Amino acid sequence: LSSTSTGDSAQWDLTLTGGPAGAGVRGQVVWTRPPDPPEPVRMGPEWTVVLSAARTKVQKEQVVRVVHQGLPRISLREVQGIVLDPKHVSIRLYVGSEVVAVLTYRLHPSFLEIVFLVCGHRGCGHGRRLMAHAVAIGAGENKGFVVTKGSRYAVGFFQRCGFEVFDREAMYGLERAAVERQIYMFGSSTLMVHATGSPPLRKRARAVQA
């Protein structure tokens, strides 16, 4: 047995003896070190995350699939009726070429209603980014409030996004009964509200309401 080696490979020459007299078998074994794995590509969130409105029918049908997959308890027909309705707007959040979250909203005379929020990956901040985007849209459209609803499991998430439980007779000039007549309520949802004004404005609104 003889061997030679370099930094990335080694070679052995083998001579095997045995069997009939004088018989021998020569062979060669070559080992090459596999290449190092490539370094992971680190993509900054400031340029990998893209928000895009679903405008065409194909894009809206993509939103329908994402919403129905994320909220299977809501019938496909009901999801289609909302997403394909021209009164509703859907925002898709891309990371690279993948749609990882969608948000569907509707503008009412005095507030913006978030109808659907579906995120494929939890804990990545995608939902909070979309919620902040919806609040910014509401402010840009001169809507004083953003209203949404969620299950008891989602209340904590909405509160971290700045929403409050809409559990009073009237709040900031919005009457709960009037709001409930205008928005979609699924099951035993909890109604949540977010004022688009700054915190001092909301404090003054509370004082006036009191």
Side-chain angles (χ1 to χ4, degrees):
L1 170 65
S2 62
S3 66
T4 58
S5 65
T6 62
D8 293 330
S9 63
Q11 176 176 308
W12 291 271
D13 292 321
L14 304 175
T15 301
L16 304 177
T17 59
V25 179
R26 296 184 60 83
Q28 189 178 77
V29 178
V30 178
W31 171 84
T32 302
R33 189 179 70 180
D36 293 330
E39 288 293 323
V41 179
R42 302 188 183 276
M43 301 183 293
E46 66 279 1
W47 59 270
T48 58
V49 175
V50 177
L51 295 174
S52 174
R55 304 187 186 279
T56 68
K57 185 177 180 180
V58 172
Q59 292 170 344
K60 290 184 177 183
E61 287 175 345
Q62 179 188 45
V63 172
V64 169
R65 290 193 297 271
V66 174
V67 172
H68 186 57
Q69 183 177 5
L71 302 172
R73 293 185 178 181
I74 303 176
S75 70
L76 178 60
R77 177 175 294 183
E78 195 164 12
V79 173
Q80 290 172 330
I82 294 172
V83 174
L84 301 181
D85 178 10
K87 295 179 181 179
H88 293 81
V89 180
S90 295
I91 304 296
R92 299 164 297 164
L93 190 149
Y94 282 88
V95 174
S97 60
E98 180 187 4
V99 177
V100 298
V102 298
L103 180 145
T104 300
Y105 70 88
R106 177 178 177 176
L107 293 174
H108 294 274
S110 59
F111 63 92
L112 180 148
E113 175 197 0
I114 297 174
V115 184
F116 294 132
L117 174 65
V118 176
C119 299
H121 307 286
R122 295 188 177 183
C124 298
H126 299 148
R128 297 188 68 172
R129 185 183 295 255
L130 279 173
M131 295 295 283
H133 186 64
V135 171
I137 292 174
E141 294 287 343
N142 295 319
K143 307 300 180 184
F145 310 93
V146 176
V147 176
T148 189
K149 65 275 162 197
S151 68
R152 56 193 176 94
Y153 304 105
V155 169
F157 164 75
F158 289 129
Q159 288 175 329
R160 290 192 295 273
C161 293
F163 285 72
E164 300 177 45
V165 176
F166 199 162
D167 58 356
R168 278 170 276 179
E169 186 90 9
M171 188 173 187
Y172 311 131
L174 286 176
E175 293 185 7
R176 179 184 173 95
V179 170
E180 287 182 337
R181 284 196 298 268
Q182 297 180 64
I183 74 170
Y184 293 95
M185 296 291 288
F186 299 104
S188 57
S189 300
T190 300
L191 192 60
M192 311 287 293
V193 64
H194 187 302
T196 58
S198 59
L201 289 177
R202 283 188 282 170
K203 288 181 181 179
R204 285 202 294 272
R206 284 202 189 101
V208 171
Q209 187 64 38

